[in-house]
């Protein structure tokens, strides 16, 4: 069994490398090797696979778009910047302290009537981290924490009400009971949930102010302790504030998107040749649901080619770049389409760029302040999408990749013959070769000996521009003697493909999603067996 395992390792290693990831693991059928067969010479059918355009380009289903006519478009899309309301507005906890004292008159009333009720109204100033001036807000979540410290020898109830904070039409109110002072300071605390409350924070045209009413009711405890000049301290704190909506003026700040890039990986392995896509497009989509002006500026949009040079994108840039909604809940959207008629996007795509670099800056409420609104889900975002319909031509379009390779020396193996049967349904002529190289990239050998065997010919085009009958080719390639030793010595393989579309550059072809490259690959081996 040791000889059989080494033999299988050789075959599978070579095949996986030869097809550079196009073959799926499930295409290998180990059951096709007859169990128990032990002969110096036998054949193994290892692969039978249909490759679609997604397999060949390495594009996933999310990167391919197919229209009703089965024509294929390669799509690259990415969110290049997003800023949500909950990120833009980060409120800080608010706290306010009040000290109340019982007067001589209050004390007399308490002892004569058995109870005393006093009510005071206080304005609580609110502060926000970026100087926002808030007229009203609705809480997604948040707590009102109420702390009481008392040195008064009578218990009772503190009622806190916020007339301008309402939920389901009812104002906020909260009772906090406390006990009498008997020699040690009294502490009491309660927490009220503010989720869903709408709170107006503008008094007489002045933002960032909140009116709170404190109502104290004392019950006579018949204590002999003095009530005069004793403190009753109240601290109210808004904690963990998360607004669902905000109205007011949010000040001037910056949305700064760091420079970044999108990898157009379909071009990653291109080495040479020319390519022409007939109608590529790029769409820059800007979306703003913040109710405030944004002075947005695009940094230079630039394609970076494989040789490190770059091409700036030219085309239509509107002014202003992005509008803003005038009504809460609405969204302003700007879609900027760069096509072959209004920009140089065709030149860029046909230069086979590796990356597309972008950047964007936006200032809020510039140049003039205005009334603002937002929700925690409001968003300013920028998305980019490339659409490359697979219609065009390619001439001498070379793709190449290098992969590590090592199988060692299998002494029992005398010869190997690879047989490849290909049925090509694409309108593409492809010259293929696999080179076995050492660590210094010196070529030791190649998989296909004869030049004519490297060609996988294009299928013929019908009058409607589609292929219907695939072309077929069968090739046998033998490895023995020195060639076999080269295989053992190889440390890497270079996969090389030279693609030319049918009748290029004089006519364009289109790619359809039902085109297939069908191939069957088998191996015939001969082993040396010592009896």
């Amino acid at each position: 069994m040791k000889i059989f395992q080494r033999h299988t390792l050789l075959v599978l290693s070579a095949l996986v490398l030869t097809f550079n990831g196009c073959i799926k693991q499930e295409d290998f059928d180990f059951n096709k090797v007859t169990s128990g067969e032990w002969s110096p010479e036998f054949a193994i059918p290892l692969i039978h696979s249909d490759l679609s355009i997604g397999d060949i380009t390495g594009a996933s289903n999310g990167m391919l778009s197919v229209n009703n006519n089965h024509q294929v478009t390669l799509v690259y899309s990415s969110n290049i910047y997003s800023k949500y309301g909950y990120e833009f507005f980060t409120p800080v906890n608010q706290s306010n302290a009040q000290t109340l004292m019982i007067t001589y008159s209050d004390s007399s009333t308490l002892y004569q009537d058995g109870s005393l009720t006093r009510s005071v109204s206080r304005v609580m100033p609110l502060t926000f981290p970026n100087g926002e001036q808030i007229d009203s807000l609705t809480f997604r979540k948040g707590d009102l924490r109420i702390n009481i410290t008392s040195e008064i020898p009578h218990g009772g109830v503190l009622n806190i009400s916020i007339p301008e904070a309402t939920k389901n039409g009812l104002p906020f109110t909260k009772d906090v009971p406390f006990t009498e002072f008997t020699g040690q300071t009294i502490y009491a605390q309660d927490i009220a949930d503010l989720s869903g409350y709408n709170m107006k924070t503008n008094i007489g045209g002045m933002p960032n102010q909140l009116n709170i009413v404190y109502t104290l009711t004392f019950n006579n405890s018949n204590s002999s302790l003095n009530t005069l000049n004793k403190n009753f301290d109240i601290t109210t704190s808004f904690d963990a504030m998360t607004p669902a909506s905000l109205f007011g003026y949010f000040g001037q700040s910056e949305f700064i998107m760091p420079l970044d890039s999108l990898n157009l990986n379909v071009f990653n392995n291109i080495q040479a040749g020319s390519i022409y896509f007939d109608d590529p497009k790029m769409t820059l989509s800007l979306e703003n649901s913040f109710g405030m002006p944004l002075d947005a500026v695009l940094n230079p949009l630039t394609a970076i080619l494989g040789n490190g040079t770059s091409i700036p994108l030219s085309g239509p840039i509107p002014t202003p770049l992005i509008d803003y909604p005038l009504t809460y809940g609405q969204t302003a959207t700007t879609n900027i389409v760069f096509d072959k008629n209004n920009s140089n996007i065709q030149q860029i795509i046909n230069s086979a760029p590796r990356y597309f670099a972008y950047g964007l800056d936006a200032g809020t409420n510039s140049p003039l302040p205005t009334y603002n609104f937002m929700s925690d889900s409001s968003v300013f975002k920028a998305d980019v999408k490339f659409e490359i319909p697979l219609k065009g031509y390619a001439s001498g379009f070379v793709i190449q990749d290098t992969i590590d390779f090592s199988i060692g020396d299998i002494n029992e193996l005398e010869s190997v013959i690879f047989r490849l049967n290909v049925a090509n349904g694409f309108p593409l002529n492809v010259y293929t070769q696999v080179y076995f190289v050492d660590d210094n990239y010196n070529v030791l050998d190649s998989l296909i000996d004869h030049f004519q065997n490297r060609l996988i010919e294009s299928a013929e085009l019908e009058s409607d521009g589609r292929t219907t009958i695939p072309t077929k080719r069968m090739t046998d390639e033998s490895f023995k003697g020195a060639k076999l030793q080269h295989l053992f010595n190889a440390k890497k393989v270079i996969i090389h493909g030279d693609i030319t579309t049918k009748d290029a550059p004089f006519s364009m072809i289109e790619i359809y999603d039902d085109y297939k490259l069908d191939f069957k690959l088998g191996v015939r081996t001969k082993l040396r067996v010592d009896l």
Side-chain angles (χ1 to χ4, degrees):
M1 287 298 292
K2 184 176 181 182
I3 297 175
F4 174 74
Q5 290 169 350
R6 288 182 178 177
H7 156 77
T8 302
L9 174 64
L10 164 67
V11 173
L12 295 182
S13 298
L15 296 182
V16 170
L17 293 171
T18 299
F19 291 96
N20 190 22
C22 290
I23 309 306
K24 309 175 188 70
Q25 185 175 357
E26 57 266 28
D27 291 327
F28 293 97
D29 188 352
F30 293 96
N31 294 322
K32 293 176 182 177
V33 181
T34 304
S35 177
E37 182 174 1
W38 189 250
S39 170
E41 186 172 328
F42 57 94
I44 307 172
L46 284 177
I47 300 173
H48 179 195
S49 183
D50 287 328
L51 297 182
S52 66
I53 186 61
D55 298 313
I56 292 172
T57 61
S60 64
N61 289 337
M63 294 170 60
L64 292 178
S65 174
V66 180
N67 66 16
N68 293 334
N69 294 325
H70 298 277
Q71 293 160 312
V72 178
T73 296
L74 190 61
V75 178
Y76 288 91
S77 59
S78 177
N79 172 250
I80 61 177
Y81 182 78
S82 293
K83 188 77 164 184
Y84 287 89
Y86 65 86
E87 299 171 304
F88 173 76
F89 183 80
T90 54
V92 295
N93 293 342
Q94 309 285 326
S95 183
N96 184 255
Q98 301 291 331
T99 298
L100 304 180
M101 299 180 70
I102 292 181
T103 66
Y104 180 84
S105 175
D106 292 335
S107 181
S108 298
T109 301
L110 177 60
Y111 282 106
Q112 290 175 6
D113 298 344
S115 66
L116 169 69
T117 298
R118 286 185 57 191
S119 183
V120 295
S121 179
R122 295 285 187 267
V123 173
M124 178 178 177
L126 304 175
T127 58
F128 298 100
N130 297 312
E132 293 91 345
Q133 300 173 28
I134 305 303
D135 290 334
S136 68
L137 63 89
T138 299
F139 287 95
R140 176 75 65 196
K141 62 180 182 179
D143 296 324
L144 178 64
R145 182 164 47 86
I146 306 161
N147 288 312
I148 295 174
T149 303
S150 175
E151 296 177 343
I152 296 177
H154 303 284
V157 175
L158 169 68
N159 174 267
I160 292 184
S161 66
I162 307 176
E164 299 301 321
T166 59
K167 183 177 182 179
N168 300 323
L170 300 176
F172 173 84
T173 182
K174 181 70 176 179
D175 287 336
V176 183
F178 56 90
T179 59
E180 69 271 16
F181 173 82
T182 59
Q184 292 185 340
T185 302
I186 299 301
Y187 298 98
Q189 184 183 86
D190 207 338
I191 297 176
D193 182 8
L194 294 178
S195 300
Y197 275 89
N198 176 263
M199 190 167 71
K200 291 181 171 53
T201 57
N202 187 308
I203 298 177
M206 297 295 293
N208 295 353
Q209 298 191 53
L210 180 64
N211 187 46
I212 302 179
V213 179
Y214 302 92
T215 301
L216 266 171
T217 299
F218 291 100
N219 299 315
N220 185 6
S221 65
N222 295 314
S223 172
S224 60
L225 298 175
N226 182 25
T227 60
L228 297 178
N229 300 317
K230 302 297 182 180
N231 289 342
F232 189 93
D233 296 320
I234 308 167
T235 302
T236 50
S237 302
F238 290 93
D239 296 341
M241 295 172 60
T242 303
S245 63
L246 283 168
F247 293 83
Y249 172 64
F250 303 153
Q252 294 185 344
S253 59
E254 294 291 326
F255 294 159
I256 299 177
M257 182 186 73
L259 290 175
D260 206 344
S261 62
L262 174 67
N263 177 215
L264 303 178
N265 59 13
V266 71
F267 300 119
N268 279 359
N269 294 322
I270 294 172
Q271 300 294 311
S274 63
I275 189 169
Y276 179 88
F277 290 105
D278 181 54
D279 192 24
K281 294 183 179 67
M282 189 194 88
T283 302
L284 181 65
S285 297
L286 302 173
E287 181 179 314
N288 177 27
S289 54
F290 285 94
M292 58 182 175
L294 296 176
D295 182 21
V297 177
L298 277 175
N299 294 323
L301 303 173
T302 304
I304 302 171
L305 308 186
N307 60 8
T309 61
S310 60
I311 304 176
L313 175 67
S314 62
I317 304 295
T319 301
L321 188 62
I322 180 68
D323 207 344
Y324 66 99
L326 300 178
T327 303
Y328 182 82
Q330 293 184 341
T331 300
T333 302
T334 301
N335 290 315
I336 310 169
V337 179
F338 299 84
D339 60 32
K340 65 181 181 181
N341 297 316
N342 65 8
S343 73
N344 63 339
I345 189 65
Q346 188 183 60
Q347 174 199 355
I348 285 175
I349 294 300
N350 291 337
S351 299
R354 302 294 177 86
Y355 297 94
F356 192 82
Y358 45 77
L360 183 145
D361 298 330
T364 67
N365 289 308
S366 178
L368 297 175
T370 186
Y371 192 75
N372 304 151
F373 55 80
M374 58 168 276
S375 72
D376 57 349
S377 59
S378 291
V379 64
F380 171 64
K381 67 176 183 176
D383 298 309
V384 65
K385 180 169 71 172
F386 289 87
E387 297 170 276
I388 308 174
L390 297 187
K391 177 182 179 181
Y393 62 81
S395 296
F397 191 61
V398 176
I399 58 175
Q400 185 167 293
D401 201 6
T402 303
I403 303 175
D404 290 337
F405 174 85
S406 178
I407 62 170
D409 191 351
I410 303 175
N411 295 324
E412 297 86 354
L413 193 60
E414 184 173 308
S415 66
V416 172
I417 298 175
F418 292 102
R419 169 163 289 184
L420 178 63
N421 278 299
V422 179
N424 181 16
F426 286 86
L428 309 172
N429 293 308
V430 183
Y431 285 92
T432 61
Q433 184 58 281
V434 176
Y435 298 101
F436 299 93
V437 301
D438 61 20
D439 281 328
N440 297 317
Y441 296 90
N442 297 311
V443 175
L444 303 175
D445 219 317
S446 57
L447 179 65
I448 303 173
D449 264 351
H450 302 290
F451 182 81
Q452 65 271 21
N453 290 340
R454 293 177 54 195
L455 174 61
I456 302 174
E457 292 186 83
S458 164
E460 288 298 324
L461 288 169
E462 303 297 329
S463 57
D464 61 357
R466 296 197 53 159
T467 67
T468 55
I469 302 175
T471 58
K472 297 181 179 180
R473 168 175 285 279
M474 185 182 75
T475 303
D476 285 346
E477 297 294 339
S478 176
F479 279 75
K480 59 184 178 180
K483 283 180 68 68
L484 194 57
Q485 189 59 47
H486 291 160
L487 199 65
F488 297 150
N489 294 335
K491 299 302 180 183
K492 300 178 185 295
V493 292
I494 298 174
I495 298 97
H496 182 96
D498 188 324
I499 300 172
T500 298
T501 57
K502 179 73 173 174
D503 299 326
F506 304 105
S507 62
M508 292 187 289
I509 58 96
E510 292 187 71
I511 300 297
Y512 294 82
D513 69 331
D514 54 357
Y515 286 175
K516 301 290 183 182
L517 179 65
D518 179 275
F519 66 88
K520 300 173 184 177
L521 185 64
V523 63
R524 190 173 188 86
T525 66
K526 186 174 183 180
L527 306 177
R528 289 192 299 271
V529 179
D530 296 329
L531 299 177

